[in-house]
Amino acid sequence: MRILVTNDDGIHAEGLGALERIAASLSDDVWVCAPEYEQSGASRALTLSEPIRVRKVGHRRFAATGTPTDCVMLAINELIDGDRPDLVLSGVNRGPNIAEDVTMSGTVAGAIEGMALGVPAIALSQAGRPDDMEGFFAPAETFAPGIIRRLTAQGWPGDVVMNVNFPVIEPGAAAEVEVTRQGFRDVQVRHAERRTDLRGRDYYWIGFRQFRSEPAAGTDLRAFYEGRISVTPLHIDLTHAATVEALKKVLDGAAPSL
């Protein structure tokens, strides 16, 4: 099995190293193409207004000055010698990618680009304590290989990507997997904090408040809050079918001036 590894935290991220080790436990044919610089929150951005520089940083390892989407597209179409990959793995992101966060996630976007190019893809993210990086990615490294093996053995539709989130799991503790649907927070966690630089000018730093919502059972949020590994099949058809049917009754065939 040929595996392409990417991320949004950049070529030097510890999570990328963790994912390379995960991939190496599954295959001896692993390629890496990751952003030269951190691209968190880039979503599916494609670099169109400036050139992308690619740097070879090792055997089958490349860094590109673009986004995760750029990296996957370039790797599959230009950089990998011979056959296309059989699997794209994106991550391991530092921090979860759950609920509405998935629409902004560069990690998920890397997987989506793989899917768009006809390659099965999995996004992986790891929660942890920001002040404790020792063993931060241990749950993902411990449990991801088995989950990936079972997912690839089962297979999934070509227009779907798998989004896997690992909670904090203490060493030796039992781990439980739950297949979930995407949740949505009932509180607003994103905010902009105004600060002042040394020249007296205001600037803003965007971040996340640590508020918890009250998610429904069966959602990625609920599984994450309760310490379970969440596996969520995602796709990018954003059409709301019920609203389509309701609007057809009043708009289909109507004159646009009404």
Side-chain angles (χ1 to χ4, degrees), residues 22 137-146:
I22 291 167
F137 295 99
E141 288 200 55
T142 301
F143 299 109

Side-chain angles (χ1 to χ4, degrees), residues 9 13 20 31 33 50 58 82 102 108 122 137 179 185 190 217 233:
D9 288 329
E20 289 183 67
W31 294 71
C33 187
E50 58 186 45
V102 301
V108 174
I122 304 173
F137 295 99
V179 177
R185 292 182 179 85
R190 294 184 302 279

Side-chain angles (χ1 to χ4, degrees), residues 53-69:
R53 309 290 182 184
V54 177
R55 180 170 65 95
K56 188 169 185 178
V57 295
H59 181 57
R60 298 178 179 171
R61 298 184 83 246
F62 300 89
T65 57
T67 65
T69 297

Side-chain angles (χ1 to χ4, degrees), residues 9-219:
D9 288 329
I11 191 68
H12 300 295
E14 294 179 12
L16 183 66
L19 189 55
E20 289 183 67
R21 292 188 290 273
I22 291 167
S25 74
L26 302 168
S27 172
D28 59 2
D29 190 0
V30 177
W31 294 71
V32 178
C33 187
E36 188 78 72
Y37 314 107
E38 183 175 350
Q39 296 282 341
S40 295
S43 187
R44 294 203 68 212
L46 191 66
T47 302
L48 299 174
S49 59
E50 58 186 45
I52 300 172
R53 309 290 182 184
V54 177
R55 180 170 65 95
K56 188 169 185 178
V57 295
H59 181 57
R60 298 178 179 171
R61 298 184 83 246
F62 300 89
T65 57
T67 65
T69 297
D70 297 328
C71 289
V72 173
M73 181 191 66
L74 286 170
I76 292 176
N77 291 335
E78 299 288 338
L79 302 176
I80 294 178
D81 293 332
D83 295 337
R84 290 156 62 89
D86 303 296
L87 180 67
V88 171
L89 299 177
S90 185
V92 177
N93 192 68
R94 180 179 174 179
N97 279 303
I98 50 180
E100 66 271 26
D101 298 350
V102 301
T103 63
M104 297 177 287
S105 167
T107 302
V108 174
I112 289 175
E113 183 64 12
M115 176 270 290
L117 293 173
V119 181
I122 304 173
L124 304 101
S125 302
Q126 174 68 63
R129 303 178 183 91
D131 58 347
D132 181 15
M133 286 305 297
E134 185 176 354
F136 188 99
F137 295 99
E141 288 200 55
T142 301
F143 299 109
I147 292 173
I148 294 169
R149 287 190 186 97
R150 295 181 74 173
L151 284 172
T152 54
Q154 171 67 26
W156 59 88
D159 60 348
V160 169
V161 299
M162 293 295 167
N163 185 37
V164 183
N165 280 274
F166 297 89
V168 176
I169 302 172
E170 300 300 337
E176 181 181 347
V177 179
E178 181 180 356
V179 177
T180 60
R181 66 184 186 276
Q182 180 191 336
F184 197 87
R185 292 182 179 85
D186 53 13
V187 293
Q188 176 57 259
V189 296
R190 294 184 302 279
H191 74 113
E193 181 177 291
R194 186 171 66 182
R195 301 181 181 181
T196 305
D197 66 21
L198 296 179
R199 296 184 178 182
R201 297 178 298 191
D202 289 341
Y203 66 97
Y204 293 87
W205 197 280
I206 295 175
F208 296 85
R209 297 186 179 95
Q210 299 304 310
F211 293 158
R212 287 199 168 195
S213 60
E214 295 293 334
T219 61

Side-chain angles (χ1 to χ4, degrees), residues 243-258:
T243 302
V244 168
E245 294 307 313
L247 290 177
K248 279 180 175 294
K249 297 175 183 177
V250 298
L251 287 179
D252 272 9
S257 59
L258 290 180

Side-chain angles (χ1 to χ4, degrees), residues 231-249:
V231 178
T232 311
L234 300 174
H235 65 142
I236 57 173
D237 180 358
L238 303 181
T239 308
H240 190 257
T243 302
V244 168
E245 294 307 313
L247 290 177
K248 279 180 175 294
K249 297 175 183 177

